Amino acid sequence: MQNTHEEPLVTAVAEEDKEGDRSNLTQPSSTRTARSAVYTPLATALLASTALSACGGGSGDSPSGNPGTGPATPSPTLGNYAHPTAKTDQEAARFLLQAQFSASTGEIAAVRATTFADWLDQQFATGMGQSGWDWLNQRGYADISSDTAYYDNSYPADAMIWHQLMTSTDGVRKRVALALSEICVVSLTGLDFSWRSHAMAHYWDQLATNAFGNYRKVLEDVTLNPAMGYYLNTRGNQKENAATGRLPDENYAREVLQLMSIGLAALNPDGTVRRDNSGKPIDSYTQSDVTNLARVFTGYDYDQSQNAPTVVPGTNRTVPSTTFARLPMALNESRHSTQAATFLGTTIAASTPGAAALKTALDTIFNHPNVGPFIGKQLIQRLVTSNPSPTYVARVAAAFNDNGLGVRGDLRAVVKAILLDDEARSPAGLTQQGFGKLREPMLRFVQWGRTFGLTSTFGSWKIGNLSDAGSRLGQSPLRSPSVFNFFRPGYVPPSTALAASGAVAPEFQLVNESSVGAYLNYMQSIIKDGIFVNAPDQPNNGSNGNNGRDIKPAYSVELTLAPDADALVARINLLMCAGQLSAATVKVITDALKTTNITTASTTDAKLNRIAGAVFLVMASAEYLVQK
């Protein structure tokens, strides 16, 4: 059972799978030891210089926790944005790094050849490509054997999501889906049922499918998804029983309100908190709302109507087919509450059929006035800046409320409103101390991989679980330590200038002495030669003669630039930082690289050493870590 009250998060080391997740990431002792520390002191100094204030503040407006000042500003009309096009490569790269995971020279050219809005329309029209579910099956992860026990393990889902994030051609869709996965959280660490990796893959596929759809569909699919059903106890939730004292489980009812739709406090259209005459925040819902809403989410369980159980060879165990893991949970009316349910100003009459009750409940939640500013602000935080001004939030909320055609909840309109807004596109943000956000560790990692052509020779993508904050990234996609995500949207680092100003820095909840060192050490160990994988030619966590660095960067363009340290750093600065490294930081990095002489006649290994040093130092710099 997941936590059902708001509490501070701590980065947790995920439990290992039954077969063991370590074998995928364990390297031979000769390569497991730390690599040369030639750049480490400099990198540590650069990383330590990251100022918390870089993510603080808004745009001169009142902090987000203060009362609002009026109605929302209408969403800008298409084609009427202050900055409709990229005038430089740096502006194009900045846009791309907010909209998706990475920027290439080809993508920069494509953005500059059109408007931001038209480029987004092209991305909206791009197909999804291979689903996570299909990739698992293609790799053999649906095979039934007691030797591999894929049905009992979660490491296949790690490989699935890394493959999706590193290779997908629909980067904007996947970036929005990842943001949604941090709002509507299901975590692999909290799943313990047959075919959990397939269930997680389907959950991800649904988020990706709906990323350019409607938020009402997101809420419905999340509610009936079997992974969510297990994670927040909807699956098997039964109606009240006076004889036994049983009451409906309130877990999902509480979290769908608190985390996935309206939040704890009533909001103004600009996302600021509504307060009573004494200045106290007004609650958006009550315990009675949760208790009543919980009745709606009774009677649901896995849909086993298409189940074809299989006996595991050599055992007495029977496992179901994978099909149930991607079917919406089925309703058993006999287990559904027949009591009336009154919540958020709506009453569902007693004995209302379960499906009708669910529709009314989700419609009521979806149409609550909080949803636009609550969800819109969190998506701004994930894509653009931690502290959007109330007017920015208001414009995005207005787009959520009406896409211009009378449709509420259109995520295409919301994504456009976020990425095309003047607050996102204006060059003023580059010099504004309060603008931007800390890049999440998993996003830094994915950006590195996509920027420099990371490939898996055998198609394994066995990167594994990188949640360990002491030796890896301290974050891994779809592995939040709790339903409250890796960090709270309102987190303020204690005893900082941010706390004094009322600004937030959500991603800093992942930052501590261990996580900073682990990030540096992990990236230093893989940037040059890639990621060591056991048995990359087979899906299971075995070991064979193909053990090695199956997942490697290409650095094809960088190898041609390696003799010219200035040109090399300029390229990395553009692609990784949108050209935002200061002249002083560029000089520190290039001076460090020039201590070793590299020419066109130098060996490939020597050139790779310089490239790795350049990439590492950029990724350790404060001006990279804080995305503006």
Side-chain angles (χ1 to χ4, degrees), residues 560-590:
T560 66
L561 298 177
D564 186 342
D566 295 305
L568 176 64
V569 174
R571 173 177 169 80
I572 297 170
N573 183 16
L574 174 63
L575 300 186
M576 297 291 286
C577 312
Q580 294 171 21
L581 293 183
S582 67
T585 298
V586 169
K587 186 176 186 305
V588 168
I589 295 174
T590 54

Side-chain angles (χ1 to χ4, degrees), residues 602-617:
S602 297
T603 65
T604 298
D605 190 66
K607 292 176 182 177
L608 285 173
N609 281 333
R610 171 171 279 188
I611 294 167
V615 172
F616 179 61
L617 291 177

Side-chain angles (χ1 to χ4, degrees), residues 17 19-25 135-136 139-143 145-151 153 155-156 159 459-462 533-544 547:
D17 294 321
E19 283 227 337
D21 212 16
R22 297 185 184 278
S23 59
N24 282 338
L25 292 162
W135 186 84
L136 285 178
R139 284 289 295 169
Y141 285 121
D143 293 348
S145 168
S146 60
D147 293 332
T148 56
Y150 297 134
Y151 43 77
N153 277 287
Y155 68 80
S460 75
W461 294 103
K462 291 183 183 180
V533 172
N534 282 337
D537 55 318
Q538 57 190 30
N540 63 292
N541 278 354
S543 179
N544 62 22
N547 295 350

Side-chain angles (χ1 to χ4, degrees), residues 313-538:
T315 74
N316 293 323
R317 179 172 177 180
T318 300
V319 296
S321 65
T322 60
T323 307
F324 82 93
R326 66 172 175 178
L327 291 176
M329 289 189 295
L331 175 66
N332 183 337
E333 283 291 354
S334 68
R335 296 186 174 187
H336 180 72
S337 175
T338 58
Q339 290 190 5
T342 300
F343 54 91
L344 302 180
T346 294
T347 295
I348 297 175
S351 300
T352 298
L358 181 65
K359 181 181 185 305
T360 299
L362 294 180
D363 286 345
T364 299
I365 294 169
F366 172 68
N367 286 295
H368 191 284
N370 265 25
V371 181
F374 183 72
I375 298 301
K377 183 176 180 179
Q378 288 191 72
L379 289 174
I380 295 171
Q381 287 183 313
R382 299 284 63 75
L383 301 177
V384 177
T385 184
S386 296
N387 290 274
S389 70
T391 53
Y392 186 8
V393 175
R395 291 188 290 269
V396 171
F400 182 98
N401 295 339
D402 185 344
N403 68 351
L405 299 173
V407 177
R408 177 180 175 84
D410 179 2
L411 289 175
R412 292 189 182 196
V414 172
V415 171
K416 267 194 169 182
I418 291 170
L419 295 173
L420 304 184
D421 193 87
D422 184 40
E423 198 160 320
R425 300 273 56 81
S426 172
L430 298 176
T431 55
Q432 188 177 46
Q433 189 179 44
F435 184 84
K437 67 186 187 72
L438 183 70
R439 297 180 199 265
E440 297 174 52
M442 64 183 177
L443 293 180
R444 302 172 213 163
F445 177 66
V446 172
Q447 185 191 10
W448 164 73
R450 292 180 71 101
T451 300
F452 301 112
L454 196 70
T455 58
S456 175
T457 302
F458 286 96
S460 75
W461 294 103
K462 291 183 183 180
I463 294 170
N465 177 8
L466 302 185
S467 298
D468 191 333
S471 63
R472 303 178 193 175
L473 293 181
Q475 188 185 34
S476 208
L478 306 183
R479 280 194 177 271
S480 168
S482 84
V483 71
F484 297 105
N485 192 30
F486 303 99
F487 40 76
R488 300 192 308 275
Y491 176 75
V492 179
S495 303
T496 65
L498 285 169
S501 69
V504 303
E507 295 85 355
F508 272 95
Q509 197 163 356
L510 292 173
V511 177
N512 55 49
E513 294 86 347
S514 294
S515 67
V516 168
Y519 163 67
L520 290 172
N521 290 334
Y522 182 73
M523 292 308 302
Q524 184 173 258
S525 73
I526 65 171
I527 284 176
K528 179 188 174 187
D529 297 318
I531 301 168
F532 189 93
V533 172
N534 282 337
D537 55 318
Q538 57 190 30

Side-chain angles (χ1 to χ4, degrees), residues 65 175 253 262 297 315 342 546 577:
R175 181 67 191 90
I262 70 175
F297 302 123
T315 74
T342 300
N546 287 320
C577 312

Side-chain angles (χ1 to χ4, degrees), residues 180-407:
L180 290 173
S181 79
E182 295 188 84
I183 296 172
C184 304
V185 176
V186 171
S187 176
L188 273 166
T189 60
L191 302 185
D192 186 16
F193 59 93
S194 295
W195 301 116
R196 65 200 70 166
S197 286
H198 276 74
M200 196 74 244
H202 177 58
Y203 189 76
W204 167 256
D205 290 340
Q206 282 192 322
L207 293 179
T209 298
N210 291 328
F212 297 157
N214 195 287
Y215 199 70
R216 172 61 174 78
K217 188 67 162 63
V218 172
L219 286 174
E220 181 170 337
D221 284 351
V222 163
T223 298
L224 296 177
N225 184 277
M228 178 62 84
Y230 181 92
Y231 191 62
L232 290 184
N233 310 116
T234 309
R235 181 253 168 173
N237 191 14
Q238 296 187 47
K239 66 182 179 182
E240 58 285 322
N241 185 324
T244 64
R246 183 182 66 214
L247 295 172
D249 189 287
E250 297 179 354
N251 207 2
Y252 184 72
R254 179 176 291 105
E255 307 309 359
V256 74
L257 294 178
Q258 178 180 340
L259 304 175
M260 307 175 206
S261 59
I262 70 175
L264 291 170
L267 301 176
N268 293 302
D270 62 5
T272 55
V273 175
R274 291 174 54 199
R275 300 175 186 273
D276 60 22
N277 291 334
S278 65
K280 181 181 178 181
I282 300 171
D283 292 337
S284 61
Y285 62 89
T286 66
Q287 177 56 42
S288 176
D289 290 320
V290 173
T291 299
N292 278 260
L293 182 59
R295 296 169 189 159
V296 176
F297 302 123
T298 56
Y300 289 92
D301 209 330
Y302 300 145
D303 184 348
Q304 298 283 12
S305 62
Q306 300 179 41
N307 185 21
T310 300
V311 176
V312 179
T315 74
N316 293 323
R317 179 172 177 180
T318 300
V319 296
S321 65
T322 60
T323 307
F324 82 93
R326 66 172 175 178
L327 291 176
M329 289 189 295
L331 175 66
N332 183 337
E333 283 291 354
S334 68
R335 296 186 174 187
H336 180 72
S337 175
T338 58
Q339 290 190 5
T342 300
F343 54 91
L344 302 180
T346 294
T347 295
I348 297 175
S351 300
T352 298
L358 181 65
K359 181 181 185 305
T360 299
L362 294 180
D363 286 345
T364 299
I365 294 169
F366 172 68
N367 286 295
H368 191 284
N370 265 25
V371 181
F374 183 72
I375 298 301
K377 183 176 180 179
Q378 288 191 72
L379 289 174
I380 295 171
Q381 287 183 313
R382 299 284 63 75
L383 301 177
V384 177
T385 184
S386 296
N387 290 274
S389 70
T391 53
Y392 186 8
V393 175
R395 291 188 290 269
V396 171
F400 182 98
N401 295 339
D402 185 344
N403 68 351
L405 299 173
V407 177

